[in-house]
Amino acid sequence: MVGPGTRVSIEPGRPDFTCPQCLAGRYNLCPRMEFYATPPIDGALAEYVVVHEAFAHPVPDSLDDDRAALLEPLSVGVWAARKGRVGPGSRVLVNGAGPIGLVATQVAAAAGAAQVVVADVNPYRLEVAARLGATATVDVSQSSLDGLDPDLLLECSGHPEATRGAIEALAPAGRAVLVGSGSADLALSLGSLQRREIELTATFRYANTWPTAIGLAASGRIDLDALVTGHYGLADTEAALTAPARDETAIKSVIRPGE
Ligand SMILES: [Zn+2]
């Protein structure tokens, strides 16, 4: 029960709770979802927003406000790992070391993956990935993904050419989960997918991930603080959102509306 004064982390959307997708537990696929910051719905960068009680998850005191806010990107990583069925011994390739790639890396490691290789072209982000549990990193501007033979790809780059290369790097019978923005067209060799019996799937937001994300973060197995590279007040929202474009060491900005 959420009462006045309870610290909560919110799921930033309002599904209708009644359609077949919602009733099946896949409320992320609800056709009537109103999701913050998805036009025409305004974002949640405001002092007050309205959320359904079920989407206001109480957080333990061990999770400060930064970490509570970062349960949202962590949820993207949890959902990707679930879709990819990461488990003990998995050989995972995380393509893209942005905020989502970095949480996916940590979730895969926490789920028992034997190998979590992170690929990017940003040396700083690869360093962070190594600190956060990557077993190896690959700067794809310098070297190839040959020989890794991952059985799971968590594609977090959103870059069409990089996505194609990472799918080609999968071992036979491998699975690719498209997590990054899927707005671009991507030409894939269906013969190559077929010969290797590659499974290709995608994620859209998340469903039922907050309890898992809270548990992982509270257990200390996920380091969310490492992602925070700047704090901003509500008036400096634009600077917060554009920080990664200006500074290649910027990962995630936290906006504190009260400051
Ligand atoms: Zn629905």
Side-chain angles (χ1 to χ4, degrees), residues 2-19:
V2 177
T6 307
R7 292 172 64 245
V8 296
S9 171
I10 65 160
E11 289 193 50
R14 289 186 295 269
D16 63 9
F17 293 104
T18 58
C19 75

PDB file of all heavy atoms in Angstrom, residues 2-19:
ATOM      1  N   VAL A   2       0.621   2.133  -0.922  1.00  0.00           N
ATOM      2  CA  VAL A   2       1.403   3.354  -1.023  1.00  0.00           C
ATOM      3  C   VAL A   2       0.650   4.479  -0.323  1.00  0.00           C
ATOM      4  O   VAL A   2      -0.479   4.790  -0.674  1.00  0.00           O
ATOM      5  CB  VAL A   2       1.638   3.736  -2.501  1.00  0.00           C
ATOM      6  CG1 VAL A   2       2.388   5.046  -2.600  1.00  0.00           C
ATOM      7  CG2 VAL A   2       2.405   2.619  -3.209  1.00  0.00           C
ATOM      8  N   GLY A   3       1.268   5.085   0.673  1.00  0.00           N
ATOM      9  CA  GLY A   3       0.631   6.183   1.389  1.00  0.00           C
ATOM     10  C   GLY A   3       1.473   7.434   1.302  1.00  0.00           C
ATOM     11  O   GLY A   3       2.574   7.413   0.736  1.00  0.00           O
ATOM     12  N   PRO A   4       0.948   8.527   1.851  1.00  0.00           N
ATOM     13  CA  PRO A   4       1.707   9.781   1.821  1.00  0.00           C
ATOM     14  C   PRO A   4       3.084   9.603   2.452  1.00  0.00           C
ATOM     15  O   PRO A   4       3.218   8.956   3.486  1.00  0.00           O
ATOM     16  CB  PRO A   4       0.842  10.740   2.657  1.00  0.00           C
ATOM     17  CG  PRO A   4      -0.537  10.180   2.551  1.00  0.00           C
ATOM     18  CD  PRO A   4      -0.358   8.683   2.493  1.00  0.00           C
ATOM     19  N   GLY A   5       4.099  10.140   1.788  1.00  0.00           N
ATOM     20  CA  GLY A   5       5.453  10.071   2.321  1.00  0.00           C
ATOM     21  C   GLY A   5       6.247   8.867   1.856  1.00  0.00           C
ATOM     22  O   GLY A   5       7.454   8.799   2.097  1.00  0.00           O
ATOM     23  N   THR A   6       5.590   7.906   1.212  1.00  0.00           N
ATOM     24  CA  THR A   6       6.301   6.722   0.733  1.00  0.00           C
ATOM     25  C   THR A   6       7.191   7.106  -0.454  1.00  0.00           C
ATOM     26  O   THR A   6       6.729   7.778  -1.383  1.00  0.00           O
ATOM     27  CB  THR A   6       5.301   5.642   0.260  1.00  0.00           C
ATOM     28  OG1 THR A   6       4.366   5.397   1.299  1.00  0.00           O
ATOM     29  CG2 THR A   6       6.026   4.348  -0.104  1.00  0.00           C
ATOM     30  N   ARG A   7       8.460   6.720  -0.409  1.00  0.00           N
ATOM     31  CA  ARG A   7       9.333   6.931  -1.569  1.00  0.00           C
ATOM     32  C   ARG A   7       9.042   5.831  -2.573  1.00  0.00           C
ATOM     33  O   ARG A   7       9.059   4.657  -2.244  1.00  0.00           O
ATOM     34  CB  ARG A   7      10.804   6.894  -1.165  1.00  0.00           C
ATOM     35  CG  ARG A   7      11.234   8.066  -0.307  1.00  0.00           C
ATOM     36  CD  ARG A   7      12.658   7.856   0.203  1.00  0.00           C
ATOM     37  NE  ARG A   7      13.608   7.831  -0.891  1.00  0.00           N
ATOM     38  CZ  ARG A   7      14.320   6.771  -1.240  1.00  0.00           C
ATOM     39  NH1 ARG A   7      14.200   5.635  -0.599  1.00  0.00           N
ATOM     40  NH2 ARG A   7      15.182   6.845  -2.248  1.00  0.00           N
ATOM     41  N   VAL A   8       8.782   6.245  -3.802  1.00  0.00           N
ATOM     42  CA  VAL A   8       8.453   5.266  -4.828  1.00  0.00           C
ATOM     43  C   VAL A   8       9.275   5.519  -6.092  1.00  0.00           C
ATOM     44  O   VAL A   8       9.758   6.622  -6.326  1.00  0.00           O
ATOM     45  CB  VAL A   8       6.946   5.296  -5.209  1.00  0.00           C
ATOM     46  CG1 VAL A   8       6.078   4.906  -4.025  1.00  0.00           C
ATOM     47  CG2 VAL A   8       6.547   6.656  -5.776  1.00  0.00           C
ATOM     48  N   SER A   9       9.408   4.465  -6.871  1.00  0.00           N
ATOM     49  CA  SER A   9       9.940   4.565  -8.232  1.00  0.00           C
ATOM     50  C   SER A   9       8.772   4.279  -9.157  1.00  0.00           C
ATOM     51  O   SER A   9       8.032   3.313  -8.950  1.00  0.00           O
ATOM     52  CB  SER A   9      11.053   3.537  -8.433  1.00  0.00           C
ATOM     53  OG  SER A   9      11.439   3.481  -9.805  1.00  0.00           O
ATOM     54  N   ILE A  10       8.586   5.129 -10.156  1.00  0.00           N
ATOM     55  CA  ILE A  10       7.382   4.981 -10.970  1.00  0.00           C
ATOM     56  C   ILE A  10       7.681   4.348 -12.324  1.00  0.00           C
ATOM     57  O   ILE A  10       8.723   4.578 -12.929  1.00  0.00           O
ATOM     58  CB  ILE A  10       6.661   6.331 -11.200  1.00  0.00           C
ATOM     59  CG1 ILE A  10       7.518   7.287 -12.031  1.00  0.00           C
ATOM     60  CG2 ILE A  10       6.266   6.952  -9.874  1.00  0.00           C
ATOM     61  CD1 ILE A  10       6.709   8.391 -12.689  1.00  0.00           C
ATOM     62  N   GLU A  11       6.720   3.520 -12.767  1.00  0.00           N
ATOM     63  CA  GLU A  11       6.710   3.074 -14.160  1.00  0.00           C
ATOM     64  C   GLU A  11       5.988   4.165 -14.934  1.00  0.00           C
ATOM     65  O   GLU A  11       4.843   4.494 -14.634  1.00  0.00           O
ATOM     66  CB  GLU A  11       5.956   1.755 -14.305  1.00  0.00           C
ATOM     67  CG  GLU A  11       6.679   0.583 -13.714  1.00  0.00           C
ATOM     68  CD  GLU A  11       6.055  -0.740 -14.144  1.00  0.00           C
ATOM     69  OE1 GLU A  11       5.831  -0.932 -15.358  1.00  0.00           O
ATOM     70  OE2 GLU A  11       5.797  -1.561 -13.269  1.00  0.00           O
ATOM     71  N   PRO A  12       6.668   4.713 -15.932  1.00  0.00           N
ATOM     72  CA  PRO A  12       6.142   5.926 -16.557  1.00  0.00           C
ATOM     73  C   PRO A  12       5.124   5.667 -17.668  1.00  0.00           C
ATOM     74  O   PRO A  12       5.311   6.085 -18.794  1.00  0.00           O
ATOM     75  CB  PRO A  12       7.401   6.586 -17.114  1.00  0.00           C
ATOM     76  CG  PRO A  12       8.300   5.434 -17.430  1.00  0.00           C
ATOM     77  CD  PRO A  12       8.005   4.376 -16.408  1.00  0.00           C
ATOM     78  N   GLY A  13       4.052   4.993 -17.352  1.00  0.00           N
ATOM     79  CA  GLY A  13       3.036   4.783 -18.378  1.00  0.00           C
ATOM     80  C   GLY A  13       1.693   4.448 -17.768  1.00  0.00           C
ATOM     81  O   GLY A  13       1.603   4.123 -16.580  1.00  0.00           O
ATOM     82  N   ARG A  14       0.662   4.556 -18.609  1.00  0.00           N
ATOM     83  CA  ARG A  14      -0.691   4.210 -18.173  1.00  0.00           C
ATOM     84  C   ARG A  14      -1.332   3.301 -19.222  1.00  0.00           C
ATOM     85  O   ARG A  14      -1.899   3.772 -20.198  1.00  0.00           O
ATOM     86  CB  ARG A  14      -1.552   5.470 -18.016  1.00  0.00           C
ATOM     87  CG  ARG A  14      -1.192   6.345 -16.827  1.00  0.00           C
ATOM     88  CD  ARG A  14      -2.191   7.486 -16.661  1.00  0.00           C
ATOM     89  NE  ARG A  14      -2.137   8.413 -17.782  1.00  0.00           N
ATOM     90  CZ  ARG A  14      -1.364   9.502 -17.823  1.00  0.00           C
ATOM     91  NH1 ARG A  14      -0.607   9.803 -16.801  1.00  0.00           N
ATOM     92  NH2 ARG A  14      -1.363  10.282 -18.884  1.00  0.00           N
ATOM     93  N   PRO A  15      -1.243   1.972 -19.067  1.00  0.00           N
ATOM     94  CA  PRO A  15      -1.980   1.070 -19.948  1.00  0.00           C
ATOM     95  C   PRO A  15      -3.451   1.078 -19.541  1.00  0.00           C
ATOM     96  O   PRO A  15      -3.806   1.640 -18.497  1.00  0.00           O
ATOM     97  CB  PRO A  15      -1.344  -0.289 -19.672  1.00  0.00           C
ATOM     98  CG  PRO A  15      -0.849  -0.196 -18.265  1.00  0.00           C
ATOM     99  CD  PRO A  15      -0.476   1.249 -18.032  1.00  0.00           C
ATOM    100  N   ASP A  16      -4.305   0.452 -20.371  1.00  0.00           N
ATOM    101  CA  ASP A  16      -5.729   0.476 -20.013  1.00  0.00           C
ATOM    102  C   ASP A  16      -6.099  -0.625 -19.015  1.00  0.00           C
ATOM    103  O   ASP A  16      -7.192  -0.607 -18.443  1.00  0.00           O
ATOM    104  CB  ASP A  16      -6.611   0.402 -21.268  1.00  0.00           C
ATOM    105  CG  ASP A  16      -6.428  -0.893 -22.048  1.00  0.00           C
ATOM    106  OD1 ASP A  16      -5.748  -1.815 -21.554  1.00  0.00           O
ATOM    107  OD2 ASP A  16      -6.964  -0.972 -23.171  1.00  0.00           O
ATOM    108  N   PHE A  17      -5.203  -1.585 -18.816  1.00  0.00           N
ATOM    109  CA  PHE A  17      -5.396  -2.687 -17.853  1.00  0.00           C
ATOM    110  C   PHE A  17      -6.510  -3.661 -18.241  1.00  0.00           C
ATOM    111  O   PHE A  17      -6.830  -4.562 -17.481  1.00  0.00           O
ATOM    112  CB  PHE A  17      -5.656  -2.185 -16.421  1.00  0.00           C
ATOM    113  CG  PHE A  17      -4.479  -1.494 -15.794  1.00  0.00           C
ATOM    114  CD1 PHE A  17      -4.459  -0.113 -15.683  1.00  0.00           C
ATOM    115  CD2 PHE A  17      -3.390  -2.213 -15.318  1.00  0.00           C
ATOM    116  CE1 PHE A  17      -3.368   0.541 -15.102  1.00  0.00           C
ATOM    117  CE2 PHE A  17      -2.299  -1.570 -14.739  1.00  0.00           C
ATOM    118  CZ  PHE A  17      -2.281  -0.194 -14.631  1.00  0.00           C
ATOM    119  N   THR A  18      -7.174  -3.455 -19.383  1.00  0.00           N
ATOM    120  CA  THR A  18      -8.345  -4.297 -19.697  1.00  0.00           C
ATOM    121  C   THR A  18      -8.258  -5.010 -21.045  1.00  0.00           C
ATOM    122  O   THR A  18      -9.069  -5.895 -21.308  1.00  0.00           O
ATOM    123  CB  THR A  18      -9.633  -3.439 -19.723  1.00  0.00           C
ATOM    124  OG1 THR A  18      -9.484  -2.397 -20.688  1.00  0.00           O
ATOM    125  CG2 THR A  18      -9.918  -2.838 -18.361  1.00  0.00           C
ATOM    126  N   CYS A  19      -7.317  -4.636 -21.916  1.00  0.00           N
ATOM    127  CA  CYS A  19      -7.277  -5.238 -23.258  1.00  0.00           C
ATOM    128  C   CYS A  19      -6.628  -6.626 -23.180  1.00  0.00           C
ATOM    129  O   CYS A  19      -6.059  -7.004 -22.156  1.00  0.00           O
ATOM    130  CB  CYS A  19      -6.510  -4.321 -24.222  1.00  0.00           C
ATOM    131  SG  CYS A  19      -4.725  -4.351 -23.980  1.00  0.00           S
TER     132      CYS A  19
END
